[in-house]
Amino acid sequence: MIQVQSLCLSFGERRILDGISFTVARGETLAIIGGSGVGKTSLARLLMGLLPSGPATKARSGFRWSGKVLVDELDVLRAKQRELRRFRGRQAGMITQALADALNPHLTVRQHLREVMYLHRLPGTVEEVCAACNIPVRLCNRYPAGLSGGEIQRVLTALAMLPRPPVLILDEPTASLDGANRARAVEAFRRDQQSRCQLLITHDHDLARELADRVAVLKAGRIVEVGRARDILRPPAPSRPMVPPSPVEPRLQTTTASSPGLYVHGLCHAHSGIPVLRDLSFHVPQGGCLAILGESGAGKSTLARILAGLEPLQAGQMSWVSSKGARPVELSSRRSAMVSQHPHRAMARHFTVEQVLSEALALAGPCPERKGRVLQGRDLLETVGLPASPSFLAQRSATLSGGEAQRLVIARALATEPDVLIADEPTAALDMVARERVLNLIARLKEERNLAIILVTHDADVATCIADHFLELPGIEAYHSG
């Protein structure tokens, strides 16, 4: 079903894939595992014909490739665009890692589902499809901008699997899902698994262990090891007992704002008349970290966007008390900064590292000349553990690994010298090495810069690593049943 022979892929002078070969048969799941930046997602996009094709576009985009790729007997590297359009969805489906721009922003969930049902002549109603695909019916009339990462992930899974393609490419298909929804997704990937071939691209060894028959290890663009999953993947290490952070009562009423930090009182928010957040009150001290936990769709990302000033406050109060004993002031976007869970989508792809930081520094305040911004940018890069060399400053954001992009987004957030740093699922799409670096960085910033940090996550282990307290948001059903 999938045959890859001597595949090479380069971007400019950088070699992404270097002579890789593998096959995946019908009824088999092959997992491609490896760290951040080794070429896993580039491989997935190339298999789907999603990289720019043709001599002119290849030269303009900087991508070059060679080798042979057959997917369900289609020569993907040499196919014409009309062949690729028929091929996608019908012969091969893909669940992409890039959630932020994977859906049409102008179509509702209902319209996305109807489009796929119409194109593939699928029976039934949208509501029946939602019930079968773990999508709450209440999301049908929402646009992608109103969905959480986990909700987008579930919609993408439904869109890819509804046509029942014989080839399914899964690029980090559970990265944004909480435990319960992750288990449902794994069950869906196992269902009718023998009727198709699956290529799983992931850094999550537990997921590979659950789904894969064979595993290929990708390192520096080359496959360095291939074998049965049980031979390559070691059994999971026994979990060590962890002391959880102290809980915060979601409806706790804050009385006096005396100690420095962030105060939120009576915050409420609704989408299309449906309550998402209701009567939230909490305090995050300066130099402290509050983890916001909850299932997908509980309103975690909505709360993060409100705190960052990216979504209007509908009801309630948000204030900041400084360490100088001043009166509480309204929390503004200049006092808070957000770290997105999709760092590559949070930056202009054509911007260099220097341009990303220079833009943030220029917006943060007066800086007389470019030389001064470059020096400040280098200081920020050193703060987050990235190289400040001229070659790295000249590198485009689109070419950075996931861990590098996440740390650059943190550096950009620090350029505004915020009092509050909001990190929305900052490690969801990272491998273990990059994950540890980012978590250690956030913990260090909390201490060194005396920041109040809001950590939004569905991963209790991540919360335990750096949070002092946690607040668990109830699911939306709790608002209706209460």
Side-chain angles (χ1 to χ4, degrees):
M1 299 293 285
I2 298 178
Q3 299 178 39
V4 176
Q5 296 177 8
S6 304
L7 177 63
C8 296
L9 175 67
S10 298
F11 182 83
E13 298 300 318
R14 179 189 170 205
R15 180 62 65 94
I16 300 174
L17 300 173
D18 190 3
I20 68 171
S21 300
F22 63 86
T23 60
V24 190
R26 185 186 292 273
E28 182 183 29
T29 297
L30 172 69
I32 305 283
I33 65 172
S36 175
V38 300
K40 303 189 302 295
T41 294
S42 296
L43 171 62
R45 292 179 63 81
L46 194 60
L47 293 178
M48 291 293 291
L50 291 173
L51 291 181
S53 60
T57 52
K58 280 165 63 176
R60 190 165 57 245
S61 69
F63 285 107
R64 302 187 311 278
W65 56 76
S66 62
K68 187 174 183 180
V69 174
L70 295 178
V71 180
D72 198 23
E73 301 183 353
L74 177 70
D75 189 344
V76 175
L77 300 185
R78 294 165 182 81
K80 297 179 179 179
Q81 282 301 315
R82 64 175 180 272
E83 294 176 307
L84 290 172
R85 282 193 290 270
R86 288 197 300 266
F87 160 77
R88 297 187 197 111
R90 195 178 304 275
Q91 293 171 260
M94 179 178 176
I95 301 173
T96 177
Q97 180 182 355
L99 301 182
D101 58 358
L103 297 174
N104 187 328
H106 306 293
L107 297 182
T108 64
V109 171
R110 182 184 300 277
Q111 290 168 322
H112 277 96
L113 294 173
R114 275 182 177 167
E115 183 178 50
V116 170
M117 294 172 70
Y118 171 78
L119 288 174
H120 299 280
R121 297 179 174 84
L122 301 177
T125 65
V126 169
E127 286 73 18
E128 290 171 339
V129 168
C130 287
C133 296
N134 188 31
I135 300 174
V137 176
R138 59 180 168 78
L139 301 181
C140 281
N141 295 322
R142 283 205 202 162
Y143 291 92
L147 302 177
S148 70
E151 289 166 345
I152 293 176
Q153 190 100 62
R154 284 184 274 171
V155 173
L156 290 176
T157 300
L159 296 177
M161 300 190 71
L162 277 173
R164 298 183 179 274
V167 176
L168 195 58
I169 298 174
L170 311 170
D171 185 9
E172 300 289 4
T174 63
S176 297
L177 298 179
D178 58 84
N181 284 300
R182 179 188 183 280
R184 295 186 188 106
V186 170
E187 182 183 350
F189 301 143
R190 284 175 172 164
R191 197 177 304 127
D192 300 325
Q193 191 173 349
Q194 296 305 312
S195 65
R196 61 178 179 266
C197 89
Q198 296 185 151
L199 181 68
L200 171 65
I201 293 175
T202 186
H203 62 258
D204 185 343
H205 289 195
D206 289 337
L207 182 62
R209 197 179 291 110
E210 289 178 81
L211 285 176
D213 304 296
R214 291 188 299 129
V215 170
V217 181
L218 191 62
K219 187 175 182 180
R222 295 187 176 186
I223 292 180
V224 296
E225 189 177 7
V226 182
R228 295 181 300 179
R230 63 174 177 268
D231 295 333
I232 291 181
L233 298 173
R234 297 176 180 175
S239 57
R240 63 180 187 273
M242 306 179 82
V243 180
S246 304
V248 172
E249 171 57 45
R251 295 172 188 251
L252 178 67
Q253 300 302 310
T254 340
T255 52
T256 59
S258 55
S259 60
L262 169 68
Y263 288 82
V264 174
H265 180 75
L267 188 150
C268 299
H269 195 84
H271 280 303
S272 303
I274 300 174
V276 178
L277 301 168
R278 190 167 68 184
D279 198 20
L280 289 183
S281 298
F282 55 86
H283 167 228
V284 186
Q286 196 170 14
C289 179
L290 173 68
I292 307 292
L293 299 170
E295 64 183 28
S296 175
K300 303 188 301 296
S301 292
T302 298
L303 176 58
R305 290 177 61 81
I306 293 170
L307 293 172
L310 301 176
E311 205 158 317
L313 176 65
Q314 294 179 353
Q317 294 178 332
M318 302 186 302
S319 57
W320 174 260
V321 175
S322 72
S323 57
K324 298 177 181 178
R327 295 176 60 186
V329 296
E330 183 180 348
L331 182 70
S332 66
S333 57
R334 290 190 64 83
R335 290 184 174 272
S336 61
M338 184 167 174
V339 177
S340 169
Q341 65 175 308
H342 308 298
H344 281 107
R345 298 309 182 269
M347 299 180 286
R349 294 176 58 82
H350 61 284
F351 269 27
T352 64
V353 171
E354 180 184 333
Q355 289 171 325
V356 169
L357 294 177
S358 293
E359 181 185 52
L361 288 166
L363 292 172
C367 189
E369 55 184 20
R370 176 183 176 275
K371 184 178 179 181
R373 290 198 297 270
V374 171
L375 290 175
Q376 286 180 272
R378 287 177 175 170
D379 289 341
L380 288 169
L381 290 175
E382 291 173 357
T383 298
V384 299
L386 289 173
S389 63
S391 60
F392 188 76
L393 283 166
Q395 198 168 330
R396 302 209 179 271
S397 67
T399 66
L400 300 178
S401 71
E404 289 171 336
Q406 193 64 279
R407 282 181 284 167
L408 178 57
V409 168
I410 294 174
R412 184 181 66 175
L414 295 177
T416 63
E417 298 186 357
D419 297 310
V420 182
L421 185 68
I422 301 119
D424 185 10
E425 298 284 8
T427 62
L430 301 181
D431 63 86
M432 291 302 296
V433 173
R435 175 181 180 271
E436 291 301 318
R437 285 177 181 162
V438 169
L439 289 177
N440 289 337
L441 170 61
I442 294 174
R444 180 165 58 82
L445 291 173
K446 181 182 71 168
E447 300 293 334
E448 293 179 357
R449 298 214 170 197
N450 209 23
L451 295 171
I453 293 179
I454 306 284
L455 174 67
V456 177
T457 182
H458 62 257
D459 190 334
D461 289 341
V462 169
T464 304
C465 285
I466 58 175
D468 307 302
H469 304 280
F470 70 86
L471 186 156
E472 186 156 6
L473 299 181
I476 193 168
E477 289 78 9
Y479 290 145
H480 296 294
S481 62

